[in-house]
Amino acid sequence: MRAQEFLQKTYGVSDAIVQWQSPRESQRGDASTSIALSLAKNIGEKPMVVAKSLAQELSKLPEVERAEVAGTGYVNVWLKPAALLRELSASRKAHVESVKANQRKKQNVVLDYSHPNIAKPLGVHHLLSTIVGQAITNIYRNAGYNAIAINHIGDWGTQFGKLAVAFRRWGTKPIEQYTLDELLGLYVKFHDEAEKDESLEEEARLAFRDLEQGQSDLRTFWETVVGITMRSMQRPYERLHVTFDLVQGESFYEDKMAPILEEGKAKKLFTIGKEGALIVEFPEETKLPPAIVLKADGSTIYFTRDLATARYRIDTWHPLEILYVVDVAQQQYFQQLFATLKLLEWDLPVMEHVIFGRMRFIDRQMSTRKGNILKLEEVLDEAVTRAKQVIADHRETIQTDDEAALAEMMGVGAVAYGILSQNRKMDMVFDWDKFLSFEGNSAPYLQYTHARARSVLRKGDANEKQQFPDDIEVLAETERLLLKTLLLFPSVLEDARETRMPHKLANYLFQLCQDFNAFYNREPILKAESDQRDFRLTLTREMADVLRTGAELLTLRLPDRM
Ligand code: ARG
């Protein structure tokens, strides 16, 4: 503001908007502007002259430590420690206020994630959806939104017909005695046999039709299978710190589809296609192929249920947004879904298909498994086994009285964070060594840094309420950087939420840890004198608190000791 006034007064420019950047390089100060360069031409002055006079003016400000001209006319400003600290608390306050304002508005956001298909192998995309979805949900909640987390399980559809046929033919004991693995076995057997005997597919289709029509044996069979699958998911969800407000699977919409089919027909949007199915066609410019709404034999499909799902969610929660965290493979499907809703002319919230890319496995064993069948529990167990090894390898540095708990926290965290630290829109890489490394952008690195900070705080007898002393005159370079990184936390959270990109938060936490470790390695904390010691302990506590808050949003847990 001051810069703007000054330029107006001195050079008579009325439209000079001064933009400030916050560079990370310490030689560029806390704030940097190129206004002198862009103004110089207009006012017929040399950039250096404008920059010098501006720097001189700014250095008179009480909050400015020094202002310097750099390069061909940049002005870099260093703030006084007290001013930086004031900014930190102001940004905190603004953040708290915005969370409260959001809470008052009671804005609902529906998040649809994880959604495994019952009695079908769990695909790797379910693991990704589960973790990414939970992180986004946590970030929304933290920002004051009322997030409604829904597990839209695939508990309806032809696969139940297949399973019923397989059980009828090759079942060896009552269905309730089957484990999930054995159900998978039945399912796989069906597919193997169906390759040889085409009539099986037809039999399965009929079985599902009977189920839809309410045949009671099939109904009981179905309920049992759903129960077995859901119970087996409970443990892995708990371990991953994943929770849902509602499990409303596809079957939930069984009786909610008819009115929409009627509406679509009445509006002449749903028409009979060549093969007798009910279809919806899209405007030329969308370039979307027609979608089937109802099969020729009258059975509903995934798409039909998603139409009903959208209607139900809109009517029930009047949400601001509905987010579907689903594999990029379903991109066209969601385009068709959203296009259909538009054609129906419903009053729609923001609807977004939150995509994620493919996962590539570095581990040979994992990548050669047929059809990417990935058992969540197995992955987590493997991660914990590997974490135990990592702990053993770092015997001299790691101290813990509960090794099993630490290995669980580290292993599970490594998988979750390994995924969340990657840009979800790109193809991702599943790399055990990277996920469990102590040096890079990994869960163990964050966990170790946190434990290190807490240990300093314990030794320094720092209490939780300790505030920054306000008469700090100088800042070491690493202190200034860490402080500036802390300042960014609220805006990073907001950016991660707006873009639904958890990796932005992950990258920030990694940076925060690096900045803290640089500070920790350079500056004495416990051995510093009075005010400086208080300052450094408070800085350490602030860092540990931000790290914990941020990490927990990413479903990670951090130890106080290790
Ligand atoms: N169960 C589906 C699958 O595994 C994903 C469901 C996504 N949610 C939705 N409302 N369509 O591919």
Side-chain angles (χ1 to χ4, degrees):
M1 209 53 231
R2 179 64 172 262
Q4 210 139 312
E5 274 166 38
F6 170 74
L7 293 169
Q8 278 170 14
K9 231 175 42 212
T10 320
Y11 299 105
V13 285
S14 54
D15 53 352
I17 308 244
V18 181
Q19 303 231 7
W20 290 101
Q21 283 187 324
S22 341
R24 264 197 68 76
E25 304 85 344
S26 50
Q27 71 275 16
R28 290 180 58 205
D30 304 322
S32 170
T33 182
S34 58
I35 186 72
L37 290 164
S38 54
L39 256 190
K41 236 208 188 139
N42 291 350
I43 55 180
E45 226 0 312
K46 289 207 182 76
M48 274 315 245
V49 175
V50 181
K52 269 190 194 138
S53 69
L54 180 59
Q56 205 174 32
E57 175 70 13
L58 289 170
S59 55
K60 290 183 210 148
L61 294 176
E63 58 268 43
V64 170
E65 193 172 277
R66 66 197 153 99
E68 283 175 7
V69 177
T72 47
Y74 287 91
V75 177
N76 298 337
V77 173
W78 282 258
L79 294 175
K80 288 204 181 126
L84 274 176
L85 291 176
R86 268 200 304 278
E87 252 191 78
L88 182 64
S89 76
S91 89
R92 288 278 160 77
K93 250 191 221 134
H95 178 65
V96 171
E97 283 311 314
S98 108
V99 172
K100 279 196 199 143
N102 279 335
Q103 281 167 342
R104 276 194 298 273
K105 285 190 228 152
K106 300 200 190 309
Q107 306 164 100
N108 291 335
V109 173
V110 173
L111 292 112
D112 178 326
Y113 58 98
S114 188
H115 35 235
N117 294 326
I118 304 283
K120 242 195 180 177
L122 193 70
V124 60
H125 59 284
H126 293 118
L127 173 61
L128 299 189
S129 170
T130 302
I131 292 167
V132 173
Q134 187 65 52
I136 298 177
T137 302
N138 295 344
I139 294 170
Y140 265 86
R141 287 212 174 109
N142 181 262
Y145 290 82
N146 182 31
I148 300 155
I150 303 182
N151 198 352
H152 185 84
I153 55 176
D155 60 355
W156 209 235
T158 2
Q159 76 262 30
F160 284 95
K162 293 178 183 172
L163 200 66
V165 169
F167 178 66
R168 203 185 283 157
R169 295 201 173 209
W170 308 296
T172 50
K173 56 184 173 186
I175 187 68
E176 56 278 3
Q177 288 174 21
Y178 271 73
T179 63
L180 188 62
D181 279 342
E182 290 165 338
L183 288 178
L184 290 187
L186 278 181
Y187 194 77
V188 172
K189 172 121 177 127
F190 178 91
H191 277 273
D192 290 345
E193 297 291 326
E195 274 175 26
K196 293 173 254 165
D197 178 356
E198 279 179 22
S199 71
L200 280 175
E201 292 283 352
E202 181 59 11
E203 196 181 327
R205 205 183 53 74
L206 290 176
F208 178 59
R209 201 201 50 196
D210 291 345
L211 173 61
E212 268 202 311
Q213 284 166 5
Q215 210 220 60
S216 72
D217 300 358
L218 279 169
R219 204 77 206 186
T220 320
F221 169 80
W222 169 78
E223 271 163 23
T224 312
V225 170
V226 172
I228 293 169
T229 322
M230 287 319 284
R231 270 194 302 279
S232 80
M233 296 298 295
Q234 224 164 323
R235 257 306 277 155
Y237 279 154
E238 259 169 45
R239 294 175 72 182
L240 286 164
H241 311 289
V242 166
T243 51
F244 297 96
D245 298 300
L246 294 163
V247 177
Q248 282 174 342
E250 293 182 44
S251 68
F252 180 75
Y253 302 97
E254 224 195 318
D255 59 351
K256 299 176 180 59
M257 290 177 276
I260 294 163
L261 291 170
E262 287 317 311
E263 182 182 339
K265 282 193 257 181
K267 290 184 172 162
K268 304 226 167 11
L269 293 170
F270 302 167
T271 53
I272 306 285
K274 279 199 278 308
E275 274 114 50
L278 198 61
I279 61 164
V280 52
E281 287 177 294
F282 303 103
E284 191 83 48
E285 68 273 14
T286 63
K287 297 203 173 75
L288 289 169
I292 296 183
V293 180
L294 196 66
K295 285 202 215 164
D297 68 358
S299 37
T300 60
I301 50 176
Y302 183 49
F303 193 86
T304 330
R305 292 185 278 283
D306 256 327
L307 292 174
T309 304
R311 181 75 268 165
Y312 178 83
R313 289 173 180 169
I314 294 169
D315 293 343
T316 310
W317 296 292
H318 309 287
L320 198 66
E321 298 172 8
I322 304 181
L323 307 182
Y324 300 81
V325 186
V326 186
D327 195 333
V328 63
Q330 292 188 34
Q331 195 154 38
Q332 176 173 301
Y333 170 84
F334 278 102
Q335 286 166 354
Q336 289 173 316
L337 178 67
F338 299 159
T340 308
L341 301 178
K342 235 187 238 144
L343 289 173
L344 283 162
E345 295 186 317
W346 293 351
D347 205 356
L348 296 175
V350 171
M351 303 213 91
E352 188 176 320
H353 173 199
V354 177
I355 60 162
F356 50 83
R358 287 214 185 80
M359 178 64 93
R360 190 163 60 83
F361 294 96
I362 296 291
D363 186 305
R364 280 252 329 278
Q365 255 185 343
M366 285 174 97
S367 65
T368 49
R369 262 194 237 173
K370 218 173 116 195
N372 258 345
I373 298 181
L374 180 80
K375 278 205 246 137
L376 192 44
E377 283 272 58
E378 250 178 67
V379 175
L380 297 183
D381 289 344
E382 169 84 19
V384 173
T385 308
R386 285 172 185 259
K388 279 191 189 130
Q389 189 55 49
V390 171
I391 295 171
D393 293 345
H394 290 75
R395 244 334 144 230
E396 321 83 66
T397 34
I398 295 183
Q399 292 139 15
T400 171
D401 20 274
D402 192 345
E403 200 169 304
L406 182 62
E408 171 76 15
M409 193 189 269
M410 222 156 113
V412 173
V415 171
Y417 188 82
I419 290 168
L420 291 170
S421 57
Q422 302 184 55
N423 182 336
R424 63 171 172 81
K425 293 189 186 173
M426 319 269 258
D427 282 352
M428 295 182 248
V429 182
F430 195 108
D431 182 348
W432 285 122
D433 292 338
K434 188 167 175 294
F435 284 13
L436 280 159
S437 139
F438 253 84
E439 266 90 59
N441 187 5
S442 69
Y445 179 68
L446 265 57
Q447 289 168 329
Y448 187 69
T449 304
H450 181 263
R452 170 183 263 184
R454 293 286 172 203
S455 148
V456 174
L457 293 171
R458 274 194 303 276
K459 286 185 197 139
D461 260 335
N463 73 52
E464 273 162 44
K465 300 229 164 49
Q466 186 165 323
Q467 296 297 314
F468 285 112
D470 43 15
D471 47 2
I472 287 293
E473 290 297 331
V474 275
L475 288 178
E477 205 171 298
T478 56
E479 290 175 323
R480 190 177 282 266
L481 262 187
L482 179 54
L483 203 55
K484 275 160 53 176
T485 304
L486 281 172
L487 247 160
L488 296 176
F489 188 45
S491 65
V492 169
L493 286 176
E494 188 52 14
D495 186 24
R497 187 193 65 76
E498 260 173 12
T499 55
R500 306 102 165 76
M501 292 284 231
H503 82 289
K504 292 188 175 176
L505 174 56
N507 287 345
Y508 169 80
L509 296 178
F510 178 47
Q511 185 65 61
L512 183 69
C513 288
Q514 285 179 304
D515 289 345
F516 172 74
N517 285 319
F519 155 70
Y520 175 93
N521 289 328
R522 259 193 103 118
E523 307 299 336
I525 301 174
L526 297 172
K527 292 203 178 104
E529 293 297 324
S530 57
D531 265 7
Q532 193 161 49
R533 185 176 187 275
D534 284 350
F535 176 81
R536 289 179 178 167
L537 280 172
T538 311
L539 194 58
T540 303
R541 186 187 51 70
E542 292 276 329
M543 165 344 263
D545 289 351
V546 165
L547 182 56
R548 167 165 278 156
T549 306
E552 286 185 355
L553 294 177
L554 298 178
T555 75
L556 226 60
R557 295 298 180 267
L558 306 179
D560 282 340
R561 295 165 203 270
M562 79 186 245

